[in-house]
Amino acid sequence: MSDDTPHRYTAQLAQQIEVAWQDRWEESGAFRAPNPAGPWAEPAQVQALGPKLLVLDMFPYPSGAGLHIGHPLGYIATDVYSRFHRMQGRNVLHTLGYDAFGLPAEQYAVQTGQHPRKTTEDNIAIMARQLRRLGLGFDERRSYATIDEDYYRWTQWIFTQIRESWYDPAFVRADGGLGAARPIAELEAALADGTRAVPELAGHAWSELDRVGRAKVLDAYRLAYTSEAPVNWCPGLGTVLSNEEVTNEGRSERGNFPVFRRNLRQWMMRITAYADRLADDLDRVEWPEKVKIMQRNWIGRSTGASVRFPVTLASGSRAGAEEVIEVFTTRPDTLFGATFMVVAPEHPLVAELIPAGGWPEGTPEEWKGADAAASGTPEAAVTAYRRAASRKSDVERQMEEKDKTGVFTGSFATNPLTGAQIPVFVADYVLMGYGTGAIMAVPSGDERDYAYAVKFGLPVIDVVSPAGPDGAAVQDWPGTVAAGAAFTGDGVAINSANADISLDGLRVADAKERVTAYLQERGIGAGTVTYRLRDWLFSRQRYWGEPFPIVFDTDGIAHSLPDSMLPLTLPDVPDYSPKTYDPEDAGSEPEPPLSRVPEWVNVELDLGDGRGMQAYRRETNTMPNWAGSCWYYLRYLDPANSDAIVDPVNERYWVGPQPNPVAGAPAGTRDPGGVDLYVGGVEHAVLHLLYARFWHKVLFDLGHVSSEEPFRTYFAQGYIQAPAYTDSRGQYVEAKEVVEEADGSFTRHGQPVSREFGKIGKSLKNMVSPDDMYAAYGADTLRVYEMGMGPLEQSKPWETRAVVGSLRFLQRLWRNVIDESTGQVRVVDEVPDQALTTMLHRTILGVREDYEAMRFNTAIAKLIELNNAVTKLSAPPRAVMQALVLMTAPIAPHIAEELWARLGHSGGLSTGPFPVGDPALVVEESVTCVIQIKGKVRDRVEVSPDISEDSLRELVLAREKVRAATADGIRTVIVRAPRLVNVVPA
RNA sequence: GCGCGCGUGGCGGAAUUGGCAGACGCGCUGGAUUUAGGUUCCAGUGCCUUCGGGUGUGCGGGUUCGAGUCCCGCCGCGCGCACCA
């Protein structure tokens, strides 16, 4: 700072101002949003405010490394949006909590012996300090962490609610739709009085079953249940993982350890019951189309038909019996072209399909398997093939080259439409986890089946032909064999008739409909919907997570703890880590840390179920990290409520359905309710958002919330990438030690390095801390810079040296109000001239639109332009500067508050006013009319903004350049008064 | 392979319905202030130019009086899914 400008807005001054205002905001509770009901009820304050607005960010995991400048990008954006609306009098709720259970804290605890709660809480304190220093207007009363007992009590309560429910697909909801979660007690009552029978009863009456038998039946319907099922066991981590936590390479997302398929008893969530609603209701929310597509793909709903292929069992106790192999197909119209079948290696019928003894006569050599030693009998060949497949996980199978492998089972099934005997193969390109684990293979209509048929010499029958212009099958189409590829497009059915039905000549869609009806009629099949979505593996062999509110009695029956026993708190354990094994030790068993605390595990309780005190064993798994983040947005609404997750009045007020559907929703849809604006990274587009939606819908069905979706509007923010540098060996080097040379190249300690842009973090050694930015520029400058970088949804590179531009803007803003030498306010009360008035109102109108649409970068550009215009004046008009300060406030709130106060206003500006633009005051004395000749700009002329079309045409045609260009006559003249005239010469 | 998105100065990016391409910022150039420095100020800055002008939004075509914007075909980059029957 030079001596003659002691009152310049420098980083030092910015810091003083910022810290002072942060203190004032905290003291006055400036950002506390009143609730209509519940423990914090302030209905009068709610009444006095405008419409509510709930703005939330995906909450952070408090890492030990602290924040980097990428983290706050979304928080600043939501803060700007919140402040903008708060200034217009709305009741804005914006706050932030912490997702604090999870592996990093546990692993750190394992290394240091410190309790994960200690390190987590320390990290939260650091992060809270950093966030406060950014000037984020959070309602700090509503912040909490998922590890708080007051919070996870309710996470456990929700788990219990889910477990004590089942999905009744026939239940008629209030909206007329079918299917809802209902209390399991309803099912139990219906089973007991015989009004409902289920296949699990196997024909027995409820009263004939013992406790264990009944529990088993109910467990088959609960929305949270235990299951002995193939799971992803990761010995290196000592825990099981959900499918989502396993990479395409068949390794753990975290740690990159091998993952094996193992049958283990685990907790599951029946999310598949909601597959349809989760897919359908995407129409009702305002989310990026890309994210909706990702969720739809994940759910993977496909409609088709199930078809039953008769087969005679070849061996086992049922040898000679008629069975059916049921398949799922999306192309029932191609059934006449099914020339063979394939079942997954794990398919339950495989063993019974293999004939004793040798191969059927005439079995081609290549059908007998690649393992020459095992190809002597079907039994040996299939067993060898199945063993090889079992050693590979699903993901590993997919990894290998797409070359088809498989073995003939030795059995033939009957094509139900042609009556043809078609061979049944075992091949690992069919997955047990999808559909029925068996397919009908139509080589002419499916690329995979085609490849298999070519490799194994199987017949190909064309059943769909491309359609000609007349809509009929192309006459001289040479067929798929000639083409060397299956025909999978739309077309016309051919070769598809028997004595009872003909599809020939029908388009694919019509043929599907016709054949499905026929199959149904004959009992051969039925229209079916299948999903890619699997039930959600919900247990982990971890310490640092929510304990399950579950105990097992001496019969092994699981019981939910009554609400009065919640929270079930995490006990201290001698060792925080699960037992880990050699990463390759597939046969190892999980041993969760909680199992090492026998006095916690083995308890005597009275569950209040009439059985009195009984001995129980607690569940020793813990919930996955997703649990806490599945519903945290609800708790913000009423965090002090000890009677309910949220008071129903508060829930309706903040997230209840609105009268109008969201923008862009199909006609007839209703608003589902939910958070008004949810901002976060697209990496959570599938899992977090899907799980939260699932839980929310269960809570809706059970009547705990009025909203049907958690997040009405979701905005996927981009990332900030920072430069990272590699040396000659390709190793990342500390970015802070790199300097740019005069020629634009980069060096570190004199050695050349090469630059790339990537995710900020330890691994790329390119950490940029907000702490450094506050110190060098102040929080307001950082906010302006981050919001000015470009569109929020886009990823863009960080450039520290460009931050100064934002400081310069704030400096000029400051200078337009405050004299840098004297510190005196220098605005004058003169009325601004017409040109400046026009610019002011145009700016207000534009900035409001930009804020509303979250185009903060263009809002900032407009503010800079207006400010630069004032900078050119010797005396800044008060009216303009006041409006400018108010408009800048959402983005740079500290400097705005300071200038607003120095301009003589008391009481702060967080509740407004926000300037209102008047379109009537946007008047130009003259506008530049562009004169084009054949579409190219050739001339310009200043004209009155309300010039008539005719006089403008006349004026333009008289211009010298136009006359010169139109010497040969004029073909046409397009006039768009007052801004453009286009003259087209003959 | 399938699906989606995006290609604009040296860089980040503007351009609301087809109507002055490059707003705003960085960088760069020149100047001012300063003992000096720059986190100061002012001016200039797409490219080419014989200073008349020409040319320009990945490439090629089309529609239009007029295309960054709409249509078709390529090329490149990014993201998602990936034997899902």
Side-chain angles (χ1 to χ4, degrees):
Chain A
M1 195 193 303
S2 92
D3 293 337
D4 53 351
T5 58
H7 298 280
R8 174 168 289 171
Y9 181 79
T10 59
Q12 289 77 8
L13 180 58
Q15 297 220 49
Q16 288 171 26
I17 291 170
E18 287 165 5
V19 171
W21 278 101
Q22 283 153 14
D23 290 344
R24 262 169 255 172
W25 291 331
E26 186 173 304
E27 280 159 32
S28 67
F31 307 114
R32 297 187 174 189
N35 262 1
W40 294 350
E42 295 174 304
Q45 279 90 326
V46 171
Q47 198 63 42
L49 288 164
K52 63 88 190 184
L53 184 72
L54 176 59
V55 181
L56 294 177
D57 304 274
M58 287 183 184
F59 65 175
Y61 181 85
S63 99
L67 292 174
H68 60 67
I69 42 81
H71 287 113
L73 180 70
Y75 309 152
I76 296 170
T78 48
D79 189 48
V80 174
Y81 191 77
S82 298
R83 285 175 179 271
F84 170 60
H85 285 286
R86 197 178 287 113
M87 287 179 76
Q88 294 176 85
R90 296 186 65 171
N91 186 13
V92 179
L93 171 41
H94 188 212
T95 188
L96 193 76
Y98 299 90
D99 185 19
F101 277 124
L103 263 170
E106 184 176 299
Q107 284 175 334
Y108 188 72
V110 170
Q111 287 161 22
T112 64
Q114 283 203 73
H115 196 288
R117 177 170 292 281
K118 166 93 175 79
T119 56
T120 306
E121 284 173 354
D122 288 352
N123 290 345
I124 288 174
I126 292 167
M127 200 172 274
R129 177 187 60 73
Q130 290 183 303
L131 292 170
R132 183 182 190 276
R133 188 61 192 79
L134 274 167
L136 299 170
F138 292 136
D139 183 343
E140 75 288 347
R141 299 172 304 164
R142 296 178 187 259
S143 182
Y144 53 78
T146 52
I147 58 172
D148 297 347
E149 287 177 12
D150 278 350
Y151 180 81
Y152 76 71
R153 168 196 171 179
W154 292 106
T155 308
Q156 292 172 331
W157 179 85
I158 293 170
F159 175 85
T160 306
Q161 289 291 313
I162 295 172
R163 192 180 106 83
E164 294 302 322
S165 303
W166 69 297
Y167 200 79
D168 181 354
F171 186 86
V172 182
R173 298 194 302 267
D175 64 5
L178 283 186
R182 303 299 303 160
I184 193 86
E186 285 185 7
L187 176 65
E188 190 173 0
L191 292 172
D193 68 18
T195 51
R196 186 185 285 270
V198 294
E200 285 75 8
L201 287 174
H204 294 282
W206 184 251
S207 55
E208 294 170 39
L209 298 182
D210 62 7
R211 293 179 65 239
V212 177
R214 290 178 182 182
K216 250 191 195 138
V217 171
L218 292 181
D219 279 353
Y221 287 87
R222 292 178 188 274
L223 290 180
Y225 60 99
T226 57
S227 130
E228 185 86 23
V231 294
N232 304 302
W233 165 238
C234 180
L237 288 173
T239 185
V240 300
L241 300 169
S242 67
N243 289 337
E244 297 79 55
E245 292 165 322
V246 180
T247 64
N248 279 341
E249 285 73 41
R251 303 178 79 90
S252 60
E253 192 84 61
R254 175 172 288 279
N256 201 32
F257 292 111
V259 172
F260 301 90
R261 297 293 279 177
R262 279 283 305 281
N263 270 320
L264 292 171
R265 194 191 61 81
Q266 297 293 329
W267 283 96
M268 307 292 289
M269 288 260 171
R270 208 179 299 278
I271 190 171
T272 50
Y274 281 83
D276 271 321
R277 283 162 73 187
L278 290 170
D280 292 343
D281 284 354
L282 287 170
D283 283 341
R284 299 168 65 190
V285 294
E286 191 180 354
W287 286 15
E289 202 48 42
K290 183 176 124 179
V291 176
K292 290 187 182 184
I293 290 169
M294 282 164 70
Q295 289 222 348
R296 285 201 188 96
N297 287 345
W298 190 263
I299 295 164
R301 174 165 57 189
S302 61
T303 51
S306 58
V307 185
R308 295 149 68 86
F309 284 69
V311 65
T312 305
L313 295 178
S315 61
S317 58
R318 299 195 292 156
E322 292 300 314
E323 225 335 330
V324 292
I325 300 175
E326 185 163 329
V327 304
F328 172 75
T329 175
T330 55
R331 293 296 302 277
D333 60 300
T334 62
L335 187 43
F336 283 93
T339 53
F340 61 103
M341 298 187 77
V342 183
V343 299
E346 301 85 357
H347 196 281
L349 282 180
V350 170
E352 294 173 284
L353 292 174
I354 304 165
W359 293 99
E361 202 167 324
T363 300
E365 281 308 307
E366 64 264 32
W367 292 13
K368 298 178 181 174
D371 185 349
S375 64
T377 62
E379 166 84 48
V382 173
T383 305
Y385 187 79
R386 293 178 84 186
R387 189 177 303 128
S390 73
R391 277 199 283 261
K392 302 184 259 179
S393 64
D394 279 3
V395 275
E396 271 178 310
R397 286 190 203 172
Q398 292 163 25
M399 275 230 357
E400 300 186 353
E401 72 288 10
K402 303 273 160 98
D403 192 30
K404 298 280 181 290
T405 61
V407 178
F408 178 43
T409 60
S411 276
F412 293 84
T414 309
N415 182 318
L417 295 192
T418 64
Q421 291 296 294
I422 58 176
V424 181
F425 289 80
V426 173
D428 65 5
Y429 82 92
V430 171
L431 309 173
M432 196 58 223
Y434 184 79
T436 61
I439 63 159
M440 65 176 206
V442 183
S444 63
D446 182 285
E447 283 161 19
R448 296 152 300 178
D449 298 346
Y450 188 90
Y452 195 87
V454 167
K455 179 158 178 194
F456 291 90
L458 290 153
V460 179
I461 302 172
D462 287 326
V463 287
V464 181
S465 155
D470 58 349
V474 172
Q475 280 305 311
D476 48 0
W477 182 51
T480 55
V481 174
F487 177 72
T488 57
D490 192 12
V492 177
I494 54 172
N495 300 326
S496 295
N498 63 24
D500 298 323
I501 180 174
S502 171
L503 306 177
D504 289 344
L506 294 177
R507 299 296 292 215
V508 166
D510 299 329
K512 280 183 185 176
E513 205 173 305
R514 171 84 60 90
V515 75
T516 303
Y518 177 82
L519 294 172
Q520 189 121 24
E521 194 184 304
R522 296 296 174 107
I524 306 168
T528 312
V529 181
T530 59
Y531 305 90
R532 206 184 74 112
L533 183 69
R534 304 263 73 93
D535 275 347
W536 172 19
L537 174 69
F538 195 70
S539 42
R540 299 292 184 278
Q541 291 69 49
R542 287 277 155 195
Y543 171 71
W544 195 226
E546 298 88 346
F548 281 83
I550 291 290
V551 289
F552 297 93
D553 65 23
T554 48
D555 292 324
I557 299 173
H559 300 265
S560 304
L561 289 180
D563 296 350
S564 61
M565 292 186 185
L566 302 182
L568 171 61
T569 55
L570 259 180
D572 280 334
V573 293
D575 179 4
Y576 303 116
S577 59
K579 188 166 180 191
T580 57
Y581 301 87
D582 182 312
E584 304 288 345
D585 184 1
S588 48
E589 288 286 333
E591 184 192 303
L594 291 181
S595 67
R596 293 179 213 135
V597 197
E599 63 277 17
W600 182 82
V601 173
N602 301 304
V603 285
E604 290 221 341
L605 297 171
D606 181 352
L607 298 181
D609 56 358
R611 303 201 320 135
M613 285 298 256
Q614 297 282 330
Y616 295 100
R617 185 170 44 81
R618 290 195 197 278
E619 171 62 66
T620 55
N621 285 314
T622 53
M623 298 189 197
N625 204 193
W626 309 107
S629 61
C630 260
W631 72 284
Y632 70 107
Y633 56 93
L634 283 174
R635 193 60 179 168
Y636 289 143
L637 311 183
D638 209 2
N641 196 322
S642 53
D643 300 326
I645 49 172
V646 52
D647 186 292
V649 174
N650 289 334
E651 192 271 338
R652 271 200 302 279
Y653 176 74
W654 289 112
V655 295
Q658 301 295 304
N660 296 314
V662 301
T669 48
R670 291 165 298 112
D671 178 79
V675 176
D676 295 304
L677 177 65
Y678 191 47
V679 174
V682 75
E683 72 270 25
H684 296 112
V686 174
L687 304 180
H688 159 61
L689 291 174
L690 195 67
Y691 294 154
R693 295 179 63 214
F694 163 50
W695 276 32
H696 198 98
K697 286 180 185 302
V698 177
L699 292 172
F700 170 79
D701 284 352
L702 298 177
H704 300 301
V705 295
S706 68
S707 43
E708 294 182 65
E709 284 284 335
F711 312 112
R712 167 190 290 114
T713 304
Y714 163 56
F715 188 102
Q717 70 180 73
Y719 304 102
I720 293 181
Q721 301 182 310
Y725 302 89
T726 48
D727 62 16
S728 52
R729 300 165 304 163
Q731 298 292 309
Y732 286 103
V733 300
E734 187 50 60
K736 282 184 179 132
E737 297 167 1
V738 172
V739 293
E740 182 170 3
E741 300 297 326
D743 63 356
S745 68
F746 300 93
T747 59
R748 171 176 171 267
H749 305 331
Q751 297 299 308
V753 293
S754 41
R755 182 172 71 161
E756 59 186 72
F757 283 85
K759 214 177 146 188
I760 300 169
K762 255 189 285 180
S763 55
L764 300 192
K765 296 189 180 168
N766 60 351
M767 183 74 176
V768 185
S769 166
D771 296 336
D772 297 341
M773 293 300 122
Y774 316 140
Y777 302 99
D780 278 335
T781 293
L782 176 63
R783 292 170 61 112
V784 171
Y785 177 69
E786 291 213 0
M787 292 300 98
M789 290 172 82
L792 189 59
E793 65 273 22
Q794 230 170 75
S795 291
K796 50 238 142 178
W798 178 265
E799 196 180 1
T800 296
R801 72 176 179 185
V803 178
V804 65
S806 301
L807 177 64
R808 286 185 193 141
F809 162 52
L810 296 180
Q811 258 172 356
R812 284 197 299 274
L813 179 73
W814 179 268
R815 195 180 298 129
N816 280 338
V817 178
I818 303 293
D819 187 306
E820 287 187 338
S821 314
T822 66
Q824 297 299 302
V825 172
R826 55 184 288 259
V827 298
V828 295
D829 287 328
E830 267 163 52
V831 175
D833 66 17
Q834 184 55 59
L836 190 56
T837 302
T838 293
M839 187 172 188
L840 171 64
H841 284 268
R842 182 180 288 138
T843 302
I844 294 171
L845 294 167
V847 164
R848 272 182 172 267
E849 265 183 48
D850 285 346
Y851 277 161
E852 190 61 62
M854 306 225 293
R855 291 189 300 255
F856 304 126
N857 54 327
T858 52
I860 290 169
K862 292 180 173 83
L863 295 173
I864 292 173
E865 279 182 283
L866 179 58
N867 190 51
N868 287 352
V870 175
T871 303
K872 291 181 172 58
L873 307 176
S874 55
R878 169 178 283 271
V880 177
M881 288 318 298
Q882 291 201 154
L884 195 45
V885 165
L886 290 169
M887 286 191 284
T888 308
I891 291 178
H894 312 87
I895 188 176
E897 290 268 22
E898 183 70 18
L899 291 175
W900 188 242
R902 293 204 190 195
L903 283 164
H905 304 276
S906 58
L909 51 60
S910 60
T911 56
F914 197 90
V916 178
D918 183 354
L921 291 178
V922 180
V923 289
E924 317 260 8
E925 274 147 26
S926 72
V927 298
T928 307
C929 177
V930 173
I931 300 170
Q932 296 181 336
I933 292 168
K934 253 184 93 185
K936 297 210 190 260
V937 180
R938 285 296 129 99
D939 200 5
R940 293 185 170 84
V941 61
E942 290 294 312
V943 298
S944 156
D946 44 14
I947 189 168
S948 74
E949 269 196 27
D950 288 343
S951 46
L952 182 59
R953 179 182 292 113
E954 203 176 314
L955 174 76
V956 165
L957 291 180
R959 302 280 296 180
E960 195 184 318
K961 284 182 183 172
V962 175
R963 296 241 295 263
T966 58
D968 296 335
I970 294 171
R971 195 160 103 213
T972 182
V973 180
I974 286 119
V975 183
R976 294 279 179 275
R979 296 205 179 267
L980 179 133
V981 176
N982 188 6
V983 181
V984 186

